Amino acid sequence: ARLRTELGRVLPDYMVPSAIVVLETMPLSPNGKVDRKALPALQFRTSKEVVGLAPMPRTTIEAQLLEIWTQVLGHEEIAITDNFFDVGGTSLDALQVVSLAAKEGIPNLTVQFIFAQPVLADLAATLTGGNVPYPPYLLPMNSIAGPRTLFAIHPAFGLVADYRLMARRLEGQFNVFGLTTPFYTSPDWDPKTLEEMANDYVQAVRTVQPHGPYHFVGWSMGGVIALNMAYQLRAMGEEVAFVGMVDCFVPASIPDDPHNEEPDDRMLERLGEVDAQYWRKFHAVGRKLKDISMTHVPKSEAVNLKLWWAKDSPLGDPQPHTETWREQTRGEVEVVRVIDADHMRIIKHPDLLDSVYEALLRLDKPMS
């Protein structure tokens, strides 16, 4: 558990392994490759195994989801309090769950919902009530009980699971909705520019909140998308009260990432056919989003920006990048805090979570 926790501070949630097994040596086939069939079976601990009981389903949808999870994951002891990924679920298993759910009459379940609400009871509560009145790529990430709403915009890989700690920190104060990319679920969705993408996203958030004041937070590329959404809302005469950018850079200032090359055949062979197919999809989505981000054009709207930088950012001193953001808006640009983290760790760092929480609450306080 400790190792998974440490990995979770470095890696996005979708890359953290559900189980870890230590081997003295890797079993090899006669041709020198890893013999996957000879690897030991992974062991996962469910709620019943940890605390000695498994809470029973309380609603029809909880019972349906429990049956589907049991079928897909091969566990008989799963409880409604279990986290899908903690009991062995993978991204590919999530796809199978979605497929089976559709056959069981739960058509509004998506992979993004599972990423955003991986605990069975929370997922069931999110789905309760039949058809969801907003697009499937707009995901509630905490209980819808706060007086205001914050929209958390996906980074360059298109998913929002890494905002879960922020959503938990804002519980009761802000209803947090994660905005994922439709590229994973809507094959016909094909925006060519950031302006087109932002227009679709604005229409999506207005199904939840028809009018301002709007609040956005974006990590990495998510900040650029949030700004472009704010441009459009301001042009409509709507109030945008908060745009928080977490270690976000103007796209034209970012050099090509050497690690973002096409995955080589040897790596894909190690992954196996099914996982390799998922990785190719993931990489293709990342490339599409990167290309779209490069179409960013500053507008003459007065959008105030709150910036949080990572101390160990790959692009070095944040000051020049702060000045570049000042050229993108007629509003005020404030560096709220530099967080002692790198680009991948910052979004889960406790100092960032506290700082964003405090910045949002200060919006209610009158200026002295």
Side-chain angles (χ1 to χ4, degrees):
R2 182 178 178 184
L3 180 55
R4 290 187 72 250
T5 299
E6 291 300 317
L7 288 172
R9 293 172 179 168
V10 182
L11 302 173
D13 282 14
Y14 69 92
M15 295 181 69
V16 177
S18 299
I20 297 170
V21 177
V22 178
L23 301 177
E24 292 186 7
T25 59
M26 294 291 286
L28 301 177
S29 63
N31 60 5
K33 298 181 179 179
V34 174
D35 186 351
R36 290 176 172 267
K37 295 181 180 180
L39 291 170
L42 298 177
Q43 300 296 319
F44 305 96
R45 301 186 74 195
T46 64
S47 294
K48 182 174 182 179
E49 293 168 319
V50 174
V51 301
L53 55 86
M56 298 298 292
R58 301 159 296 179
T59 64
T60 299
I61 195 167
E62 284 184 352
Q64 288 178 299
L65 289 174
L66 183 60
E67 182 177 351
I68 292 169
W69 284 25
T70 300
Q71 180 179 343
V72 171
L73 301 179
H75 295 311
E76 296 295 335
E77 306 293 343
I78 296 174
I80 62 172
T81 51
D82 278 323
N83 181 302
F84 182 76
F85 300 103
D86 287 347
V87 294
T90 66
S91 301
L92 300 174
D93 292 328
L95 290 171
Q96 190 175 353
V97 166
V98 170
S99 177
L100 291 175
K103 295 176 182 178
E104 293 295 323
I106 314 175
N108 55 334
L109 178 61
T110 65
V111 172
Q112 290 98 322
F113 269 114
I114 298 174
F115 271 108
Q117 300 285 4
V119 174
L120 192 148
D122 295 340
L123 180 61
T126 298
L127 297 172
T128 299
N131 292 328
V132 177
Y134 36 81
Y137 55 89
L138 192 58
L139 313 175
M141 301 190 70
N142 58 5
S143 60
I144 309 302
R148 293 152 299 183
T149 298
L150 174 71
F151 296 98
I153 316 301
H154 67 78
F157 47 82
L159 301 173
V160 294
D162 290 289
Y163 287 110
R164 284 208 301 264
L165 290 179
M166 183 178 293
R168 190 180 308 162
R169 182 70 177 87
L170 295 170
E171 186 78 46
Q173 295 291 335
F174 278 83
N175 308 315
V176 178
F177 280 80
L179 190 60
T180 67
T181 177
F183 278 132
Y184 288 109
T185 54
S186 303
D188 295 332
W189 189 71
D190 192 27
K192 302 300 183 184
T193 67
L194 200 51
E195 185 173 8
E196 291 177 42
M197 177 187 286
N199 180 65
D200 288 347
Y201 287 1
V202 164
Q203 293 182 44
V205 302
R206 296 189 83 179
T207 63
V208 173
Q209 183 182 343
H211 300 288
Y214 290 96
H215 305 82
F216 299 109
V217 63
W219 168 44
S220 192
M221 178 184 171
V224 185
I225 300 172
L227 175 58
N228 278 264
M229 294 172 68
Y231 284 156
Q232 296 192 17
L233 287 164
R234 288 284 296 149
M236 296 175 189
E238 295 287 354
E239 180 185 356
V240 179
F242 182 86
V243 177
M245 300 176 124
V246 180
D247 213 40
C248 173
F249 301 88
V250 176
S253 69
I254 304 174
D256 288 335
D257 184 355
H259 298 97
N260 203 30
E261 299 173 356
E262 292 290 338
D264 61 57
D265 292 338
R266 287 182 300 174
M267 186 198 80
L268 295 175
E269 185 177 344
R270 290 196 298 271
L271 288 174
E273 182 178 351
V274 177
D275 286 350
Q277 182 179 2
Y278 178 81
W279 182 254
R280 288 191 186 98
K281 175 66 173 177
F282 175 80
H283 187 271
V285 167
R287 290 302 306 172
K288 280 186 178 181
L289 290 172
K290 173 68 183 300
D291 290 343
I292 289 173
S293 75
M294 298 304 293
T295 67
H296 166 71
V297 177
K299 302 289 195 299
S300 61
E301 296 292 341
V303 179
N304 296 334
L305 304 179
K306 303 285 188 183
L307 308 184
W308 284 266
W309 294 111
K311 181 179 178 182
D312 298 325
S313 176
L315 297 188
D317 181 8
Q319 183 58 36
H321 301 285
T322 300
E323 295 305 318
T324 303
W325 280 124
R326 290 198 168 100
E327 299 169 1
Q328 310 294 307
T329 176
R330 291 192 293 109
E332 296 181 0
V333 177
E334 175 192 356
V335 177
V336 181
R337 186 167 178 180
V338 177
I339 305 296
D340 189 11
D342 60 23
H343 183 72
M344 296 305 297
R345 294 173 188 246
I346 187 174
I347 196 61
K348 298 179 183 179
H349 198 286
D351 290 347
L352 173 76
L353 304 181
D354 289 343
S355 185
V356 170
Y357 177 86
E358 292 164 3
L360 285 166
L361 291 191
R362 281 198 297 270
L363 296 175
D364 291 336
K365 296 180 180 179
M367 298 296 290
S368 57

